[in-house]
């Protein structure tokens, strides 16, 4: 494809032009649906998102991802870094156009009110929240375009929802009969049942049809299937299902109604898991 074609294609057109097999297209779009590289239906960004998914590496650390966090902390402290825990930051202190320190909250367990950095201050907050802590005028003075982008930053109106189960034993997938290798797969995906359904799903999602999209496509995490160190001494394991859901919930009464409907979402996820792995409900602790 030429660069101009790539800029004007969405993810569906891109896959339709590349592949004939619906299962192949559903697989790539199933991964792309989490929209980590842009809206799959958007022109340009949709093609880029799907293309990037083809090279998405999936890794599992022995003992779980929690072990990775501790490894990074040890690397950081080994090279002279200092970890300061449980200290919410109230603002960044900017000197001569550069963030030099942070003012920490009164809720912090440390008596210091300000912590200075030797080189720089890094923020892992979203753009709008970072702008609040730095101050719009200070960012604008350094870079007016960046200040405008941070101020007007918009997400796509979706939110990851996770259902988590503690199971007595590893579940047995129905697709085991098709390919026994799934017994050791730690991150299977739940995708659509047809390419037509995949295309219709995005329209339902954009229309905030919450109950028509719940349990349709998402990531399943069963890390103990590939790493037996993550089983408890009794053989128990954790099963997780994560999917993107519309967040505005206007038909349900608004975002604040999440607490009222989350168990209904969980029940739909549980029914979906029972369909994929018959008998899983009896394993739930």
């Amino acid at each position: 494809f030429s660069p101009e074609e790539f800029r004007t294609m969405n993810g569906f057109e891109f896959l339709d032009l590349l592949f004939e097999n619906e299962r192949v297209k559903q697989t790539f779009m199933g991964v792309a649906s989490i929209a980590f590289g842009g809206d799959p239906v958007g022109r340009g960004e949709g093609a880029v998102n799907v293309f990037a998914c083809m090279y998405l590496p999936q890794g599992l650390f022995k003992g779980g991802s929690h072990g990775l966090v501790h490894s990074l902390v040890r690397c950081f402290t080994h090279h002279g870094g200092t970890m300061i825990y449980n200290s919410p930051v109230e603002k960044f202190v900017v000197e001569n156009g550069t963030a030099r320190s942070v003012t920490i909250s009164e809720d912090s367990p440390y008596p210091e009110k300000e912590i200075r950095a030797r080189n720089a201050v890094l923020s892992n907050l979203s753009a709008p929240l970072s702008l609040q802590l730095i101050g719009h005028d200070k960012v604008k003075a350094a870079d007016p375009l960046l200040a405008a982008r941070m101020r007007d930053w918009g997400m796509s109106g979706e939110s990851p929802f996770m259902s988590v189960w503690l199971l007595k034993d590893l579940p047995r997938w129905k697709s085991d009969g098709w390919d026994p290798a799934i017994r050791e797969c730690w991150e299977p995906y739940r995708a659509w049942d047809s390419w037509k359904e995949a295309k219709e799903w995005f329209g339902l999602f954009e229309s905030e049809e919450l109950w028509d999209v719940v349990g349709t496509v998402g990531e399943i995490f069963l890390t103990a299937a590939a790493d037996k160190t993550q089983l408890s001494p009794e053989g128990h394991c954790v099963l997780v299902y994560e999917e993107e859901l519309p967040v505005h919930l206007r038909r349900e009464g608004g975002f604040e109604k999440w607490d009222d409907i989350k168990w209904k979402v969980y029940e739909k996820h549980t029914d979906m898991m029972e369909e994929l792995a018959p008998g899983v409900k009896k394993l739930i602790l």
Side-chain angles (χ1 to χ4, degrees):
F1 303 115
S2 68
E4 180 58 29
E5 287 177 313
F6 209 66
R7 281 198 296 270
T8 55
M9 279 192 292
N10 71 10
F12 284 103
E13 186 183 11
F14 178 61
L15 288 172
D16 279 333
L17 291 170
L18 282 179
F19 302 107
E20 294 179 356
N21 188 295
E22 284 198 359
R23 299 302 188 211
V24 174
K25 292 188 280 189
Q26 286 165 234
T27 298
F28 285 127
M29 186 56 75
V31 180
S33 69
I34 62 176
F36 75 93
D39 181 2
V41 187
R43 301 216 168 269
E45 64 179 298
V48 170
N49 186 13
V50 172
F51 182 71
C53 286
M54 296 178 178
Y55 302 96
L56 179 68
Q58 302 291 72
L60 177 66
F61 297 93
K62 188 173 183 179
S65 297
H66 188 68
L68 177 62
V69 177
H70 289 285
S71 297
L72 290 170
V73 168
R74 287 196 298 271
C75 288
F76 180 68
T77 54
H78 173 77
H79 290 283
T82 301
M83 297 295 294
I84 300 173
Y85 298 96
N86 306 314
S87 298
V89 171
E90 291 191 338
K91 71 175 182 179
F92 296 158
V93 178
V94 177
E95 299 171 358
N96 299 321
T98 302
R100 293 296 184 189
S101 65
V102 294
T103 301
I104 59 176
S105 166
E106 293 290 338
D107 298 327
S108 163
Y110 300 94
E112 294 83 0
K113 295 296 181 288
E114 184 176 302
I115 300 173
R116 297 192 65 83
R118 283 193 291 269
N119 295 314
V121 175
L122 303 180
S123 172
N124 68 343
L125 297 172
S126 65
L129 288 175
S130 294
L131 187 66
Q132 289 179 28
L133 294 185
I134 301 169
H136 179 269
D137 292 341
K138 291 177 180 176
V139 177
K140 185 177 180 181
D143 189 333
L145 182 58
L146 176 62
R149 286 175 172 170
M150 292 177 73
R151 181 195 62 206
D152 299 331
W153 185 270
M155 301 304 288
S156 55
E158 61 187 48
S159 176
F161 186 102
M162 301 176 75
S163 287
V164 184
W165 301 267
L166 178 63
L167 305 182
K168 299 175 186 176
D169 196 2
L170 288 168
R172 185 76 173 263
W173 302 111
K174 186 166 60 176
S175 55
D176 190 319
W178 172 66
D179 183 358
I182 196 172
R183 296 177 197 173
E184 297 180 357
C185 180
W186 66 272
E187 189 183 358
Y189 270 76
R190 165 76 178 103
W192 307 274
D193 295 320
S194 72
W195 189 229
K196 183 175 182 289
E197 184 186 355
K199 292 182 175 181
E200 292 173 346
W201 180 90
F202 280 91
L204 293 169
F205 193 102
E206 291 299 319
S207 300
E208 294 272 335
E209 299 284 357
L210 175 67
W211 301 114
D212 288 326
V213 299
V214 168
T216 306
V217 58
E219 298 169 291
I220 300 169
F221 300 99
L222 184 63
T223 53
D227 177 10
K228 297 303 186 286
T229 68
Q230 297 191 47
L231 289 168
S232 76
E234 300 83 8
H236 302 163
C237 64
V238 173
L239 174 67
V240 179
Y241 177 69
E242 178 178 354
E243 68 177 342
E244 302 294 328
L245 292 177
V247 295
H248 297 297
L249 306 177
R250 283 178 277 262
R251 293 182 181 85
E252 311 297 324
F255 180 75
E256 61 274 11
K257 294 297 183 180
W258 260 124
D259 284 343
D260 297 334
I261 68 169
K262 64 183 179 184
W263 293 110
K264 186 178 177 182
V265 174
Y266 167 80
E267 288 168 5
K268 281 185 167 288
H269 286 173
T270 304
D271 290 340
M272 179 268 294
M273 280 296 176
E274 179 68 21
E275 181 184 349
L276 295 178
V280 75
K281 285 186 176 181
K282 295 180 181 179
L283 296 177
I284 296 174
L285 287 169

